[in-house]
Amino acid sequence: MGNASSMLTQYDIEEVQEHCHKLFSLQEIVSLYQRFCQLDRNAKGFISADEFLSVPEFAMNPLSQRLLKMVDGLNFKDFVAFLSAFSAKASVQQKIQLIFKVYDSDGNGKVSFNDILEVLRDLSGSFISDNQREQVLTQLLKEAGYLRDSYLMLDDFIKVFGSSGLKMEVEVPVD
Amino acid sequence: MSGIEGKLSSSSSELDLDRPNIEDYLPSGSSIHEPRGKLRLRDLLDISPTLTEAAGAIVDDSFTRCFKSNPPEPWNWNVYLFPLWCFGVAIRYLVLFPVRVIVLTIGWILFLSSVIPVHFLLKGHDKLREKMERFLVELLCSFFVASWTGVVKYHGPRPSMRPKQVFVANHTSMIDFIILEQMTPFAVIMQKHPGWVGLIQSTILESVGCIWFNRSEAKDREIVAKKLRDHIQGVDNNPLLIFPEGTCVNNQYSVMFKKGAFELGCTVCPIAIKYNKIFVDAFWNSRKQSFTMHLLQLMTSWAVVCDVWYLEPQNLKPGETPIEFAERVRDIISVRAGLKKVPWDGYLKYSRPSPKHTERKQQSFAESVLRRLEEK
């Protein structure tokens, strides 16, 4: 494959860094580029769904299909922007924003009862019945002061998650 | 809150009997902390552990690392090293390579001109014919090794021809077989390849008694297992060499050993092979290059340096399952060859992981939610 960072100029790296709001260091971006090139087998400039799924750890993840919709076909800049929510420097708000986006699959800015149910279904599979899921969710929503047919906005998510720390970090290996 | 009963289906234990529990090895999976206390909306909505695992896998994963080519560091990066390197390239391509091609051609000519007469003239004298053919194959392998200037150091006692024993080795490239074959005539079990390699497999390697399979057919383990058993029973057959990883790995990691070789009821003799990357990386990245290109790459480098260790034969310990036996031998080989172990099945290169792994995660999530529901 050769020396990947030689294909990425200092200017390119800085541009990517700006795009992800400086949440990754220059070295991390170089590492991410090497990883991007490794996954993008025929140098198309983006990673296809199939190539993501060739990582067994990713394919085994219950939310892999949802995440695939978000990362499939991203170019490197957007790939880094997506991953920036997992940087140690990202704020809790940025992390919650990503979580919200995962729930809000149709991207209309609000998360419905069904949206949450679907994610729960992905996470628990056939090990909890649909009925049970609905029951539990209705109950918990009520306890938090929401009705079954209310929509949750990003602000609601932020309120629900509260100030208790959110641990959602990935370390980018830098050799 | 009463009456919400956990409806969990029983964990199907007949699933991956082939491999030990991946969860025992995976670093991220086992670190999902078990939160306690009454279930709140926040806990249900918090998908951060799962997302973190997914993002972690995207950023770096131990499976892809096994198949990454890590060529030696370029050293030609300054004003006087660069011309030196150019000179070296000229020598390698214009002098060494032609000489090596000639050596290889001579080897082939010698081989073919001897093996064809031997094959036909000695038709009636099977024992003698086999002996001659084995010798000739060994000779051809020596020519091959010479054609990439193989510097192979063998450690340990040479394997002896005894019945009821198989040899297992870690796998980096098809040249593993050639390197081992030049010392001892092994019979090997191999994936059937297309092209000229396949032709060689069906003609010459027949004479040393090789067993073919197709990865897609390998799912029918019974056929392969039977072939293995039949071969071992035969007293005159060459010792069987098996690469239990099932695929080429980059010589820095080892993937899980398939248990097929370890449930034959015979002694397993481990062989560890470690290549020195000083001149060339001997890993055959079958995703990136054909075997021909790989051979050409080897033939245009200075040398292929490697160490081969014949390790102490192992037997199934009482109370040990074949999977545990396989892992124990993998441990022995990995330690000797300085390989890091990963809990992945090499065949994941060609297929997706079974949905049972996802189901296991779902089950664990479901159990955690339902358990916390009970708490008040």
Side-chain angles (χ1 to χ4, degrees):
Chain A
M1 199 184 306
N3 198 354
S5 64
S6 63
M7 295 188 250
L8 204 61
T9 66
Q10 179 77 9
Y11 183 69
D12 292 329
I13 303 176
E14 283 174 4
E15 202 186 314
V16 171
Q17 203 187 32
E18 276 305 319
H19 190 73
C20 72
H21 311 293
K22 298 218 163 119
L23 288 171
F24 284 121
S25 70
L26 297 182
Q27 262 295 55
E28 286 171 326
I29 293 180
V30 170
S31 290
L32 284 174
Y33 188 67
Q34 284 171 347
R35 176 66 173 177
F36 188 84
C37 292
Q38 188 184 46
L39 291 176
D40 173 17
R41 294 224 201 106
N42 22 25
K44 314 179 282 303
F46 63 89
I47 307 173
S48 67
D50 209 45
E51 287 163 345
F52 274 112
L53 289 174
S54 73
V55 177
E57 234 174 286
F58 180 80
M60 279 172 16
N61 194 291
L63 295 178
S64 57
Q65 290 303 319
R66 281 187 172 261
L67 287 170
L68 265 184
K69 287 204 198 88
M70 295 168 77
V71 294
D72 182 15
L74 288 182
N75 63 17
F76 180 59
K77 236 173 38 182
D78 295 327
F79 174 75
V80 173
F82 171 80
L83 289 175
S84 62
F86 295 93
S87 152
K89 301 194 201 125
S91 69
V92 173
Q93 170 137 356
Q94 283 166 317
K95 295 182 197 283
I96 299 178
Q97 228 166 347
L98 181 66
I99 295 180
F100 185 82
K101 271 205 274 195
V102 173
Y103 277 98
D104 181 21
S105 44
D106 52 9
N108 58 2
K110 38 194 189 184
V111 168
S112 69
F113 183 81
N114 277 325
D115 286 336
I116 305 179
L117 260 193
E118 273 174 29
V119 172
L120 273 179
R121 199 174 291 135
D122 285 342
L123 286 173
S124 51
S126 54
F127 297 94
I128 307 183
S129 71
D130 275 339
N131 235 348
Q132 248 176 318
R133 277 191 279 260
E134 279 185 44
Q135 265 185 321
V136 173
L137 186 55
T138 315
Q139 174 88 21
L140 291 179
L141 277 174
K142 200 170 85 179
E143 282 173 18
Y146 295 100
L147 292 175
R148 187 182 151 128
D149 45 5
S150 44
Y151 285 98
L152 292 173
M153 308 294 191
L154 179 59
D155 288 328
D156 294 306
F157 262 67
I158 296 178
K159 198 172 77 177
V160 168
F161 275 86
S163 50
S164 55
L166 191 57
K167 197 82 171 53
M168 196 166 91
E169 266 167 43
V170 160
E171 202 189 306
V172 178
V174 168
D175 17 58
Chain B
M1 184 150 4
S2 61
I4 298 183
E5 310 224 52
K7 201 169 61 126
L8 302 171
S9 31
S10 56
S11 57
S12 35
S13 53
E14 36 66 44
L15 35 109
D16 312 283
L17 284 182
D18 255 18
R19 41 203 81 107
N21 201 356
I22 281 191
E23 264 66 39
D24 293 336
Y25 292 83
L26 277 178
S28 52
S30 53
S31 71
I32 290 186
H33 51 279
E34 285 293 330
R36 295 263 152 230
K38 184 166 176 293
L39 195 65
R40 287 205 166 75
L41 183 63
R42 182 218 192 277
D43 303 311
L44 209 60
L45 290 181
D46 186 2
I47 50 174
S48 58
T50 313
L51 286 185
T52 311
E53 261 185 46
I58 293 178
V59 165
D60 187 22
D61 76 292
S62 52
F63 183 73
T64 318
R65 262 187 263 144
C66 292
F67 304 103
K68 184 166 175 254
S69 302
N70 298 309
E73 285 283 314
W75 54 272
N76 55 358
W77 37 263
N78 71 19
V79 161
Y80 52 86
L81 290 177
F82 190 69
L84 200 63
W85 178 76
C86 287
F87 181 64
V89 169
I91 303 252
R92 278 190 281 136
Y93 279 80
L94 302 177
V95 176
L96 281 184
F97 181 62
V99 168
R100 286 169 176 173
V101 170
I102 293 174
V103 164
L104 194 57
T105 316
I106 294 177
W108 271 105
I109 295 175
L110 269 178
F111 176 75
L112 288 172
S113 61
S114 318
V115 86
I116 295 175
V118 162
H119 192 81
F120 290 110
L121 295 179
L122 292 180
K123 258 245 146 75
H125 315 262
D126 278 344
K127 264 210 174 338
L128 181 61
R129 183 177 74 166
E130 263 175 34
K131 222 165 151 210
M132 296 280 319
E133 283 178 345
R134 275 175 211 173
F135 169 73
L136 287 172
V137 171
E138 255 179 76
L139 187 69
L140 183 63
C141 287
S142 306
F143 270 95
F144 253 110
V145 173
S147 76
W148 5 277
T149 316
V151 178
V152 186
K153 210 154 156 210
Y154 297 92
H155 311 258
R158 297 289 168 273
S160 42
M161 300 252 285
R162 271 197 291 253
K164 307 282 263 162
Q165 75 178 356
V166 288
F167 290 83
V168 300
N170 58 311
H171 199 28
T172 304
S173 160
M174 289 222 287
I175 66 175
D176 292 338
F177 169 66
I178 299 177
I179 286 176
L180 294 176
E181 186 79 13
Q182 76 161 350
M183 262 293 138
T184 330
F186 284 112
V188 73
I189 168 166
M190 274 178 136
Q191 162 78 30
K192 194 72 195 286
H193 280 84
W196 63 269
V197 181
L199 184 62
I200 296 185
Q201 283 180 323
S202 30
T203 50
I204 295 161
L205 294 180
E206 281 291 328
S207 62
V208 283
C210 292
I211 301 175
W212 317 122
F213 67 91
N214 238 320
R215 264 192 202 103
S216 35
E217 186 198 305
K219 284 208 178 226
D220 192 352
R221 282 191 349 249
E222 272 311 303
I223 300 180
V224 174
K226 180 164 188 317
K227 287 188 192 171
L228 289 177
R229 254 176 274 130
D230 288 342
H231 184 99
I232 295 170
Q233 298 304 338
V235 181
D236 275 335
N237 284 332
N238 285 328
L240 191 58
L241 174 63
I242 301 177
F243 294 106
E245 288 174 309
T247 187
C248 290
V249 185
N250 73 355
N251 209 227
Q252 284 177 270
Y253 295 90
S254 69
V255 297
M256 298 214 292
F257 278 10
K258 299 194 173 312
K259 64 173 181 167
F262 301 89
E263 47 183 14
L264 299 167
C266 46
T267 314
V268 170
C269 307
I271 302 178
I273 308 177
K274 181 74 173 180
Y275 291 90
N276 188 330
K277 283 215 272 278
I278 181 175
F279 296 119
V280 69
D281 179 16
F283 167 49
W284 176 37
N285 195 339
S286 49
R287 283 190 209 165
K288 284 206 171 326
Q289 40 178 207
S290 67
F291 189 59
T292 318
M293 287 309 301
H294 173 64
L295 268 190
L296 286 178
Q297 188 188 359
L298 295 179
M299 284 172 78
T300 52
S301 25
W302 290 109
V304 173
V305 184
C306 74
D307 283 284
V308 174
W309 290 275
Y310 296 105
L311 301 169
E312 198 185 315
Q314 302 290 325
N315 281 300
L316 188 70
K317 289 201 177 123
E320 201 180 35
T321 67
I323 296 179
E324 288 167 355
F325 186 26
E327 281 301 294
R328 184 164 61 88
V329 172
R330 175 160 89 117
D331 218 12
I332 294 173
I333 293 182
S334 303
V335 164
R336 180 70 267 186
L339 308 172
K340 298 191 201 103
K341 292 173 24 169
V342 297
W344 300 106
D345 172 7
Y347 279 7
L348 286 172
K349 235 182 175 182
Y350 311 97
S351 63
R352 298 270 171 267
S354 137
K356 296 155 190 164
H357 294 118
T358 315
E359 281 167 22
R360 216 178 275 152
K361 288 181 189 280
Q362 289 174 325
Q363 184 177 16
S364 133
F365 175 81
E367 279 172 7
S368 156
V369 165
L370 291 170
R371 182 181 38 240
R372 290 182 66 186
L373 269 179
E374 303 294 317
E375 294 183 22
K376 253 314 185 176

